[in-house]
Amino acid sequence: MDVPVLEVGGSHVTAAVVTADTWAVNVVERADLESQKAAEVVLDQLAAAARKLPLANGLAVALPGPFDFATGVAWYRGQGKFDNLYGYNVGDRLRDLLNLDQILFMNDAEAFAVGEWTAGEVRGLERCVGVTIGTGIGTAFLADGHVVREGETVPPGGELYKTSYDGRPLEDSISARAILRAYFARTGREEPEIGVKEIAERARDGAVDARDVLLESFGVLAAALTPWLERFGVTKVVLGGSISGAFDIVCEVFDFEVAATEDTEQSALIGAAAHYLRTR
């Protein structure tokens, strides 16, 4: 069976068809998304991407929180993306625009982890964790491929970003903005045109400040994850998101089994499709 999927980020929407028999992903379109425009503009752009897909079987959508994935209501505020969707029923509006009854929403970090469990670095493992690192941190704790959000063995809601480290919110230490802030503080100058990718490239070229900032930031991630891995009985962690591209530089800070994904977007598409098929 083919499953049509949208993978939604702060600046893009990817429309793809996932073939369940092989978990092959056929990307139909990857388009820019103006996430800070008015709600109707954003929804029109999402609907335009979805219309490129065969929608006879419904639609799976992976997107970031805060979002009520059961009701389809967005709760973004102060995220630098989708602010005009606050309190907006994205699900109802998409169903109207597409004349479609069946739309299933899934957290993008959870979709990534389920995709990696289905056909990636943690395939078939009994207990594993997926971590996406970009503008913030997303996590999903999986037991036999199913997301666990409650109980004493996982962070609140299964979301590590809700925890703190050394008295500060975790994302103050490990996120794109945290790494950039630490790097500019260390070098004594701000460079608006660079991002974490450029910092990683400088580290590979031998820049000590760049390497140290990345090691410190990922060291906090490793320390914050460790007690939860022990409680949950995790055997392997998989990293995704844009910042996971620095894994070759920082792998030494992890004293547990961890790997970086080959393709975060593809895994999220597969995970959303797998979740959709489970709920049919």
Side-chain angles (χ1 to χ4, degrees):
M1 176 180 174
D2 288 343
V3 182
V5 183
L6 293 184
E7 188 269 330
V8 181
S11 61
H12 77 277
V13 54
T14 299
V17 177
V18 178
T19 301
D21 291 344
T22 60
W23 300 115
V25 176
N26 175 33
V27 173
V28 175
E29 180 179 77
R30 194 179 198 276
D32 292 337
L33 182 64
E34 298 173 293
S35 63
Q36 286 294 61
K37 293 283 190 177
E40 286 298 325
V41 173
V42 175
L43 267 293
D44 284 345
Q45 291 177 351
L46 293 178
R51 291 189 187 103
K52 303 292 180 74
L53 301 172
L55 297 176
N57 293 324
L59 177 67
V61 182
L63 74 171
F67 190 92
D68 189 325
F69 296 94
T71 66
V73 176
W75 295 109
Y76 303 104
R77 176 167 284 175
Q79 302 285 314
K81 56 190 176 187
F82 306 123
D83 286 340
N84 292 316
L85 294 182
Y86 184 83
Y88 192 96
N89 196 312
V90 174
D92 284 351
R93 184 56 181 154
L94 269 183
R95 291 182 185 95
D96 288 343
L97 288 170
L98 298 172
N99 192 26
L100 189 64
D101 292 330
Q102 182 69 14
I103 299 179
L104 179 72
F105 295 98
M106 187 178 191
N107 177 277
D108 58 352
E110 294 182 355
F112 162 73
V114 172
E116 287 290 329
W117 182 87
T118 302
E121 293 286 345
V122 291
R123 185 170 186 170
L125 294 182
E126 183 177 351
R127 297 266 170 161
C128 58
V129 174
V131 181
T132 56
I133 315 161
T135 55
I137 301 173
T139 50
F141 288 70
L142 302 187
D144 293 322
H146 294 270
V147 179
V148 178
R149 305 182 187 90
E150 298 178 350
E152 296 181 353
T153 62
V154 298
E159 297 177 301
L160 191 69
Y161 85 89
K162 293 181 178 179
T163 67
S164 60
Y165 183 83
D166 200 21
R168 298 188 301 163
L170 183 61
E171 289 183 345
D172 284 357
S173 298
I174 175 69
S175 62
R177 66 180 183 276
I179 292 172
L180 290 170
R181 184 173 59 245
Y183 181 69
F184 297 152
R186 189 178 289 260
T187 61
R189 65 183 186 277
E190 291 197 14
E191 301 176 72
E193 72 280 3
I194 78 163
V196 176
K197 180 180 178 181
E198 288 73 26
I199 292 174
E201 290 171 352
R202 293 178 183 184
R204 294 186 187 97
D205 290 338
V208 175
D209 286 339
R211 178 178 173 81
D212 286 349
V213 163
L214 290 171
L215 288 173
E216 289 173 8
S217 187
F218 277 84
V220 169
L221 175 63
L225 262 178
T226 295
W228 296 108
L229 302 183
E230 293 172 352
R231 291 175 197 177
F232 196 67
V234 171
T235 56
K236 189 173 183 179
V237 174
V238 57
L239 302 181
S242 58
I243 299 178
S244 67
F247 181 69
D248 60 307
I249 301 165
V250 302
C251 57
E252 65 187 67
V253 306
F254 299 102
D255 59 3
F256 46 82
E257 188 173 358
V258 59
T261 184
E262 292 185 5
D263 191 325
T264 300
E265 180 181 279
Q266 176 165 298
S267 292
L269 291 164
I270 292 171
H275 180 61
Y276 182 87
L277 291 171
R278 288 175 182 172
T279 60
R280 283 180 60 82

